[in-house]
Amino acid sequence: MKTVDFKHARGPDKLRVYAIGDVHGRLDLLQEMHRRIYMENEKSPPFDWVVVHLGDYVDRGLHSCGVIDFLINGQRKNHRILALAGNHEVGFVDFLNTGDAYGVFARCGGRQTGLSYGVNIDFNNELSVASGHEALKRAVPNSHLNFIRRLPRSMVFGDFFFCHAGIRPGIALERQSQEDLIWIRSEFLDDQRPHSKIIIHGHTPATEVEIRPNRINLDTGAYASGRLSAIMIDGPNKTFLEATV
């Protein structure tokens, strides 16, 4: 298998690729990052460009509904706005389907997502979970559900493979488990072997962008840190961007 390291990896010819880490309801930071991206494109216009969002748009932060609206509207206006599924989007839909009071949505920031849709759920109260589940099903627009359900788990551009969480080392990229792509952690993060592509991912918060020969982690805990991170890949050139407010 042919492998590549970050230093020598290249993006596609005539296509600038941006990727943005985990947003988690921070609409303000996402808007600022898009402003930064458009400024970069004005400063040095590319032949063409795309923006890949790496998932986890909902939970923890205060404006999950607004983030989904922003992405839907962005895609309607411009085919260059791309988005991948994260485990929190899957958990959100799972809760809407089942009302599970112990899933990732309930345990990891779903209350804030509910509030962004005007629904207050106390996950320590069975009656509140039951009534909140029904209210949230009514409150979430079909357009939001359709957007989430259609999100792909991975994309490839040039020497780069984009996904939310990572890959299972030793398995070909085209054979990766759909669950691993949004959930995997230590088996991927601790493996230093080169892959056939550089893996651009989020999912595991870090204090700074993690730059490794075989992977780049763009999750800098935006909902708590106030810092949303991105990478700009332009041929052989790789630049990191940060949005703060």
Side-chain angles (χ1 to χ4, degrees), residues 139-152:
V140 176
N142 285 334
S143 60
H144 287 207
L145 286 175
N146 291 336
F147 168 79
I148 292 172
R149 287 168 175 157
R150 292 169 182 165
L151 292 172

Side-chain angles (χ1 to χ4, degrees), residues 151-163:
L151 292 172
R153 299 286 173 101
S154 65
M155 293 179 182
V156 175
F157 289 101
D159 290 330
F160 299 87
F161 181 91
F162 301 82
C163 62

Side-chain angles (χ1 to χ4, degrees), residues 9-234:
R10 294 181 57 95
D13 292 338
K14 296 184 177 181
L15 182 68
R16 180 179 294 168
V17 181
Y18 297 91
I20 301 175
D22 302 36
V23 178
H24 279 303
R26 288 300 302 264
L27 176 61
D28 54 345
L29 294 176
L30 183 59
Q31 291 171 326
E32 174 61 17
M33 181 60 79
H34 274 251
R35 189 185 72 82
R36 289 285 313 276
I37 287 171
Y38 284 110
M39 285 176 59
E40 290 290 336
N41 287 346
E42 288 181 2
K43 183 172 65 177
S44 58
F47 183 85
D48 204 354
W49 57 275
V50 295
V51 180
V52 181
H53 300 80
L54 295 177
D56 278 10
Y57 315 117
V58 303
D59 299 346
R60 295 186 171 133
L62 297 178
H63 300 288
S64 295
C65 176
V67 169
I68 299 298
D69 269 336
F70 181 86
L71 293 171
I72 290 173
N73 290 332
Q75 290 189 338
R76 285 173 179 163
K77 295 174 183 176
N78 196 325
H79 68 278
R80 298 174 179 87
I81 305 301
L82 309 176
L84 297 174
N87 59 308
H88 281 260
E89 283 73 60
V90 173
F92 182 23
V93 172
D94 285 347
F95 177 77
L96 291 173
N97 288 337
T98 67
D100 181 7
Y102 302 98
V104 65
F105 183 77
R107 293 183 292 106
C108 300
R111 185 176 190 186
Q112 288 85 353
T113 298
L115 288 171
S116 76
Y117 287 94
V119 178
N120 189 0
I121 306 173
D122 179 358
F123 286 102
N124 295 313
N125 182 302
E126 289 185 7
L127 292 177
S128 180
V129 173
S131 62
H133 171 236
E134 293 301 320
L136 194 57
K137 285 198 298 183
R138 294 191 296 270
V140 176
N142 285 334
S143 60
H144 287 207
L145 286 175
N146 291 336
F147 168 79
I148 292 172
R149 287 168 175 157
R150 292 169 182 165
L151 292 172
R153 299 286 173 101
S154 65
M155 293 179 182
V156 175
F157 289 101
D159 290 330
F160 299 87
F161 181 91
F162 301 82
C163 62
H164 176 63
I167 66 164
R168 189 163 295 276
I171 295 179
L173 295 180
E174 64 272 15
R175 295 178 53 222
Q176 290 292 317
S177 158
Q178 296 293 290
E179 290 298 291
D180 281 340
L181 291 170
I182 62 169
W183 281 107
I184 199 166
R185 286 196 197 274
S186 59
E187 302 96 327
F188 165 65
L189 299 174
D190 295 342
D191 195 289
Q192 300 181 26
R193 290 175 291 176
H195 309 300
S196 59
K197 305 280 185 184
I198 303 302
I199 313 302
I200 307 292
H201 68 96
H203 184 56
T204 302
T207 55
E208 302 289 341
V209 171
E210 291 184 321
I211 305 171
R212 302 288 185 268
N214 62 350
R215 65 178 182 86
I216 303 297
N217 178 13
L218 294 175
D219 183 1
T220 47
Y223 78 96
S225 69
R227 295 165 48 238
L228 180 63
S229 297
I231 187 172
M232 178 176 72
I233 302 165
D234 201 350

